[in-house]
Amino acid sequence: MRLNSAYYERILAEYQLTEESLVSIEDIRKFPFTTKADIQTYNKEFLCQPLSRITDIVSTSGTSGAPVSFYLTDNDLERLAINESKSLSIAGIHREDIVQLTTTSDRLFMAGIAYVLGLRKIGASLLRVGPGLPDLQWKLIKEHQTTVLIAVPSFILKMLEYAEKNQIDPSATSVTKIICIGEPIRNQDFSLNVLGQKITDKWPIHLYSTYASTEMATAFTECHAGKGGHHLPELVFAEVVDQQDEPVPPGTSGELVITTLGIEGMPLLRFKTGDICQYHLSLCECGRTTLRLGPLQGRKNQMIKYKGTTLYPPALTELLHELDYISAYYSEVVTDEMGLDCIKIYVAGNEKDADLISRIKEHFQARIRVTPDILVTTTQEINAIKMSFNFRKPVDFIDHRTTL
């Protein structure tokens, strides 16, 4: 890494570090952190291979900052296939499965190509349907006897709404499990959160949670026990640190830091993911002894301090998921004239505006003891805003703060 990456050549020289400085696991703390801002600013300086050896270029989604490009060699693609085959095997997928992929494989999306490569390595059959189109999803499930869905959980709710309107019984289909990506489906105690419960109330099916990112090119995937995503230590070295960058004990919230292993194109050293979570070391019911990551609590740079309460955007989403009387929503945080965080939530529903606002405020007051500003609009206007950023999925939270 040091000899081939212009960025790490410079940074490690500043810290007077060499490969020989890393003798034991504890020595990793001698090395500096890498941030997303570093990769955004010095993107191609992270390259460890000439462009002639790069086979595929992927990009982060840009939902939490400017998109960042990553460059993969043939061996990196093989590593990606190994990661996904191992991860999906942890979730019980095998070569007899017929897997329906409801997420995009284009727009420089690493996960899309990872699923394809991993399922090919497993030997499972794959239906690359892509996002949206609930009617087509159900049609193909019936036609091809799909056994596994890979999907964003909120899209499963849209599929269930379509099924209910069109007399489709999900329980009578061939699908046995759903691999959930992009959104949390569990609380910190591993019970299903509101989103996960809404799915299983209408469709008694086994949900598997995953956590991954383009930067680590690795996934933490649940087994049947549903007690956290299993670490693949041969592919990524993981740390969880507090606000002082000190390691935290198991069961304590901190920021996930990763060092990628086996990557040729753009390896990363102590990359701060910005994701807040807990890790667990107890023996899993499945018998695996590796570290497990609990549900993502939020992103460090999106922490909201509102009227004396500290919140992360997923907490707002969770509360809004509980309200069956609203048809659409998104939340945003802005900086008010005093320089403080101010939360605004835009909703659409079937009740009178005043009644809707009152009910939502009561719900927030009861659950988190603070009441954000509630603004009532139409479902069409909300959906237009959520899709206007041209990201890979609709946006539920928008950060308009002038300082973070």
Side-chain angles (χ1 to χ4, degrees):
M1 177 191 296
R2 178 177 177 272
L3 296 178
N4 297 318
S5 163
Y7 176 81
Y8 283 119
E9 180 79 31
R10 182 177 71 255
I11 293 298
L12 296 188
E14 290 178 10
Y15 280 77
Q16 298 183 334
L17 293 167
T18 66
E19 292 94 331
E20 290 73 27
S21 302
L22 187 60
V23 177
S24 67
I25 292 297
E26 289 71 25
D27 291 335
I28 192 75
R29 295 180 61 193
K30 299 177 183 176
F31 288 74
F33 292 104
T34 303
T35 67
K36 179 164 287 190
D38 294 330
I39 306 174
Q40 289 169 332
T41 304
Y42 306 103
N43 191 220
K44 288 191 177 180
E45 289 189 24
F46 282 84
L47 261 171
C48 288
Q49 301 293 332
L51 287 174
S52 59
R53 286 207 60 214
I54 299 304
T55 303
D56 199 89
I57 300 174
V58 297
S59 172
T60 58
S61 64
T63 52
S64 59
V68 175
S69 296
F70 280 82
Y71 301 80
L72 286 71
T73 65
D74 274 342
N75 288 335
D76 291 338
L77 289 174
E78 174 62 17
R79 177 191 176 280
L80 199 59
I82 292 170
N83 159 75
E84 209 58 50
S85 64
K86 289 185 175 186
S87 295
L88 294 175
S89 295
I90 288 172
I93 294 180
H94 45 72
R95 64 181 301 106
E96 288 76 24
D97 276 312
I98 300 172
V99 182
Q100 193 158 314
L101 182 58
T102 72
T103 58
T104 183
S105 295
D106 59 2
R107 299 174 68 180
L108 306 183
F109 188 34
M110 176 183 275
I113 191 172
Y115 298 134
V116 173
L117 294 173
L119 289 166
R120 286 188 62 190
K121 188 168 282 290
I122 290 173
S125 300
L126 175 62
L127 295 166
R128 293 180 291 106
V129 189
L133 306 173
D135 54 340
L136 179 60
Q137 304 288 351
W138 288 118
K139 178 177 180 291
L140 293 175
I141 286 172
K142 181 178 180 180
E143 180 179 348
H144 296 284
Q145 294 296 290
T146 301
T147 59
V148 180
L149 292 179
I150 297 179
V152 175
S154 55
F155 177 63
I156 297 298
L157 286 181
K158 294 185 182 301
M159 287 183 60
L160 290 171
E161 289 172 9
Y162 180 90
E164 193 170 356
K165 291 177 182 177
N166 292 273
Q167 292 76 52
I168 297 171
D169 180 5
S171 300
T173 68
S174 52
V175 180
T176 61
K177 65 183 65 173
I178 303 174
I179 310 299
C180 297
I181 66 171
E183 295 172 341
I185 57 167
R186 298 196 186 277
N187 299 308
Q188 292 305 306
D189 64 358
F190 300 115
S191 61
L192 288 175
N193 63 14
V194 174
L195 179 56
Q197 196 64 56
K198 280 188 173 183
I199 294 171
T200 54
D201 283 348
K202 295 184 177 181
W203 192 357
I205 195 168
H206 204 119
L207 305 180
Y208 291 80
S209 180
T210 66
Y211 165 78
S213 72
T214 302
E215 292 88 351
M216 72 174 77
T218 313
F220 291 75
T221 303
E222 284 184 342
C223 67
H224 63 84
K227 300 294 185 183
H230 283 279
H231 177 213
L232 298 177
E234 68 274 29
L235 298 181
V236 65
F237 179 75
E239 306 170 72
V240 181
V241 301
D242 61 20
Q243 293 188 4
Q244 289 73 46
D245 295 331
E246 295 295 325
V248 301
T252 302
S253 299
E255 181 178 7
L256 179 66
V257 176
I258 58 97
T259 297
T260 55
L261 305 175
I263 286 182
E264 291 182 335
M266 281 182 64
L268 297 179
L269 177 64
R270 302 196 81 194
F271 172 71
K272 284 189 157 188
T273 63
D275 293 332
I276 305 299
C277 57
Q278 299 178 2
Y279 71 97
H280 304 270
L281 296 177
S282 57
L283 180 66
C284 184
E285 293 173 25
C286 71
R288 293 180 176 87
T289 59
T290 53
L291 171 152
R292 303 188 314 282
L293 282 188
L296 182 66
Q297 296 172 336
R299 295 194 60 81
K300 185 178 179 180
N301 67 348
Q302 289 183 339
M303 184 178 72
I304 304 166
K305 293 183 178 180
Y306 185 63
K307 298 180 180 178
T309 298
T310 297
L311 298 168
Y312 288 100
L316 301 176
T317 301
E318 177 77 359
L319 286 170
L320 291 163
H321 270 313
E322 295 174 355
L323 306 180
D324 293 330
Y325 49 83
I326 61 175
S327 57
Y329 68 85
Y330 73 89
S331 57
E332 67 177 20
V333 59
V334 299
T335 304
D336 66 15
E337 63 276 7
M338 301 295 292
L340 302 175
D341 293 346
C342 179
I343 300 172
K344 297 183 178 182
I345 295 178
Y346 296 79
V347 299
N350 300 319
E351 302 180 24
K352 293 180 180 178
D353 290 0
D355 293 339
L356 192 62
I357 291 171
S358 177
R359 290 185 70 184
I360 295 172
K361 286 195 171 187
E362 287 176 3
H363 181 69
F364 272 79
Q365 181 64 42
R367 292 294 304 276
I368 60 173
R369 299 185 301 281
V370 292
T371 55
D373 294 334
I374 310 296
L375 299 98
V376 180
T377 181
T378 65
T379 298
Q380 293 77 11
E381 289 177 349
I382 288 175
N383 289 337
I385 292 293
K386 292 172 69 168
M387 298 301 297
S388 65
F389 295 90
N390 201 29
F391 294 142
R392 294 171 187 140
K393 63 179 182 179
V395 173
D396 289 328
F397 173 76
I398 305 169
D399 198 331
H400 285 310
R401 284 175 289 186
T402 53
T403 58
L404 290 175

PDB file of all heavy atoms in Angstrom, residues 256-268:
ATOM      1  N   LEU A 256     -17.640   2.828  13.708  1.00  0.00           N
ATOM      2  CA  LEU A 256     -16.953   1.711  13.064  1.00  0.00           C
ATOM      3  C   LEU A 256     -15.789   2.219  12.219  1.00  0.00           C
ATOM      4  O   LEU A 256     -15.955   3.135  11.411  1.00  0.00           O
ATOM      5  CB  LEU A 256     -17.923   0.919  12.194  1.00  0.00           C
ATOM      6  CG  LEU A 256     -17.318  -0.264  11.435  1.00  0.00           C
ATOM      7  CD1 LEU A 256     -16.856  -1.353  12.403  1.00  0.00           C
ATOM      8  CD2 LEU A 256     -18.323  -0.838  10.428  1.00  0.00           C
ATOM      9  N   VAL A 257     -14.629   1.605  12.415  1.00  0.00           N
ATOM     10  CA  VAL A 257     -13.419   1.919  11.654  1.00  0.00           C
ATOM     11  C   VAL A 257     -12.958   0.635  10.987  1.00  0.00           C
ATOM     12  O   VAL A 257     -12.880  -0.418  11.641  1.00  0.00           O
ATOM     13  CB  VAL A 257     -12.311   2.471  12.573  1.00  0.00           C
ATOM     14  CG1 VAL A 257     -11.022   2.713  11.792  1.00  0.00           C
ATOM     15  CG2 VAL A 257     -12.776   3.763  13.256  1.00  0.00           C
ATOM     16  N   ILE A 258     -12.653   0.690   9.707  1.00  0.00           N
ATOM     17  CA  ILE A 258     -12.267  -0.539   9.011  1.00  0.00           C
ATOM     18  C   ILE A 258     -10.940  -0.370   8.263  1.00  0.00           C
ATOM     19  O   ILE A 258     -10.602   0.728   7.796  1.00  0.00           O
ATOM     20  CB  ILE A 258     -13.361  -1.012   8.041  1.00  0.00           C
ATOM     21  CG1 ILE A 258     -13.697   0.069   6.980  1.00  0.00           C
ATOM     22  CG2 ILE A 258     -14.619  -1.396   8.789  1.00  0.00           C
ATOM     23  CD1 ILE A 258     -12.997  -0.099   5.667  1.00  0.00           C
ATOM     24  N   THR A 259     -10.189  -1.459   8.203  1.00  0.00           N
ATOM     25  CA  THR A 259      -8.997  -1.554   7.366  1.00  0.00           C
ATOM     26  C   THR A 259      -9.237  -2.707   6.406  1.00  0.00           C
ATOM     27  O   THR A 259      -9.450  -3.844   6.834  1.00  0.00           O
ATOM     28  CB  THR A 259      -7.735  -1.818   8.203  1.00  0.00           C
ATOM     29  OG1 THR A 259      -7.515  -0.713   9.089  1.00  0.00           O
ATOM     30  CG2 THR A 259      -6.519  -2.000   7.316  1.00  0.00           C
ATOM     31  N   THR A 260      -9.244  -2.423   5.102  1.00  0.00           N
ATOM     32  CA  THR A 260      -9.554  -3.464   4.133  1.00  0.00           C
ATOM     33  C   THR A 260      -8.356  -4.391   3.938  1.00  0.00           C
ATOM     34  O   THR A 260      -7.204  -3.949   3.969  1.00  0.00           O
ATOM     35  CB  THR A 260      -9.964  -2.854   2.784  1.00  0.00           C
ATOM     36  OG1 THR A 260      -8.936  -1.951   2.334  1.00  0.00           O
ATOM     37  CG2 THR A 260     -11.259  -2.082   2.922  1.00  0.00           C
ATOM     38  N   LEU A 261      -8.637  -5.668   3.731  1.00  0.00           N
ATOM     39  CA  LEU A 261      -7.612  -6.679   3.541  1.00  0.00           C
ATOM     40  C   LEU A 261      -7.807  -7.337   2.173  1.00  0.00           C
ATOM     41  O   LEU A 261      -8.926  -7.642   1.780  1.00  0.00           O
ATOM     42  CB  LEU A 261      -7.698  -7.749   4.640  1.00  0.00           C
ATOM     43  CG  LEU A 261      -7.639  -7.235   6.086  1.00  0.00           C
ATOM     44  CD1 LEU A 261      -7.866  -8.380   7.066  1.00  0.00           C
ATOM     45  CD2 LEU A 261      -6.306  -6.536   6.352  1.00  0.00           C
ATOM     46  N   GLY A 262      -6.717  -7.522   1.462  1.00  0.00           N
ATOM     47  CA  GLY A 262      -6.779  -8.230   0.190  1.00  0.00           C
ATOM     48  C   GLY A 262      -7.233  -7.402  -0.989  1.00  0.00           C
ATOM     49  O   GLY A 262      -7.510  -7.951  -2.057  1.00  0.00           O
ATOM     50  N   ILE A 263      -7.313  -6.085  -0.848  1.00  0.00           N
ATOM     51  CA  ILE A 263      -7.733  -5.226  -1.957  1.00  0.00           C
ATOM     52  C   ILE A 263      -6.508  -4.668  -2.675  1.00  0.00           C
ATOM     53  O   ILE A 263      -5.566  -4.200  -2.036  1.00  0.00           O
ATOM     54  CB  ILE A 263      -8.638  -4.085  -1.459  1.00  0.00           C
ATOM     55  CG1 ILE A 263     -10.022  -4.636  -1.119  1.00  0.00           C
ATOM     56  CG2 ILE A 263      -8.759  -2.971  -2.491  1.00  0.00           C
ATOM     57  CD1 ILE A 263     -11.009  -3.596  -0.663  1.00  0.00           C
ATOM     58  N   GLU A 264      -6.532  -4.705  -3.988  1.00  0.00           N
ATOM     59  CA  GLU A 264      -5.403  -4.230  -4.791  1.00  0.00           C
ATOM     60  C   GLU A 264      -5.587  -2.790  -5.263  1.00  0.00           C
ATOM     61  O   GLU A 264      -4.655  -1.997  -5.241  1.00  0.00           O
ATOM     62  CB  GLU A 264      -5.228  -5.119  -6.031  1.00  0.00           C
ATOM     63  CG  GLU A 264      -4.758  -6.522  -5.752  1.00  0.00           C
ATOM     64  CD  GLU A 264      -4.567  -7.312  -7.039  1.00  0.00           C
ATOM     65  OE1 GLU A 264      -5.207  -6.972  -8.058  1.00  0.00           O
ATOM     66  OE2 GLU A 264      -3.777  -8.266  -7.017  1.00  0.00           O
ATOM     67  N   GLY A 265      -6.790  -2.457  -5.720  1.00  0.00           N
ATOM     68  CA  GLY A 265      -6.993  -1.168  -6.376  1.00  0.00           C
ATOM     69  C   GLY A 265      -6.910   0.020  -5.445  1.00  0.00           C
ATOM     70  O   GLY A 265      -6.098   0.933  -5.653  1.00  0.00           O
ATOM     71  N   MET A 266      -7.741   0.034  -4.388  1.00  0.00           N
ATOM     72  CA  MET A 266      -7.768   1.154  -3.448  1.00  0.00           C
ATOM     73  C   MET A 266      -7.959   0.648  -2.022  1.00  0.00           C
ATOM     74  O   MET A 266      -9.036   0.803  -1.435  1.00  0.00           O
ATOM     75  CB  MET A 266      -8.882   2.152  -3.812  1.00  0.00           C
ATOM     76  CG  MET A 266      -8.512   3.082  -4.951  1.00  0.00           C
ATOM     77  SD  MET A 266      -9.821   4.294  -5.324  1.00  0.00           S
ATOM     78  CE  MET A 266      -9.858   5.244  -3.816  1.00  0.00           C
ATOM     79  N   PRO A 267      -6.936   0.037  -1.445  1.00  0.00           N
ATOM     80  CA  PRO A 267      -7.042  -0.389  -0.044  1.00  0.00           C
ATOM     81  C   PRO A 267      -7.119   0.820   0.882  1.00  0.00           C
ATOM     82  O   PRO A 267      -6.598   1.888   0.564  1.00  0.00           O
ATOM     83  CB  PRO A 267      -5.752  -1.185   0.179  1.00  0.00           C
ATOM     84  CG  PRO A 267      -4.800  -0.648  -0.842  1.00  0.00           C
ATOM     85  CD  PRO A 267      -5.628  -0.281  -2.034  1.00  0.00           C
ATOM     86  N   LEU A 268      -7.785   0.651   2.016  1.00  0.00           N
ATOM     87  CA  LEU A 268      -7.945   1.734   2.974  1.00  0.00           C
ATOM     88  C   LEU A 268      -7.401   1.335   4.338  1.00  0.00           C
ATOM     89  O   LEU A 268      -7.593   0.196   4.790  1.00  0.00           O
ATOM     90  CB  LEU A 268      -9.422   2.121   3.117  1.00  0.00           C
ATOM     91  CG  LEU A 268     -10.109   2.676   1.871  1.00  0.00           C
ATOM     92  CD1 LEU A 268     -11.566   2.984   2.163  1.00  0.00           C
ATOM     93  CD2 LEU A 268      -9.396   3.923   1.354  1.00  0.00           C
TER      94      LEU A 268
END
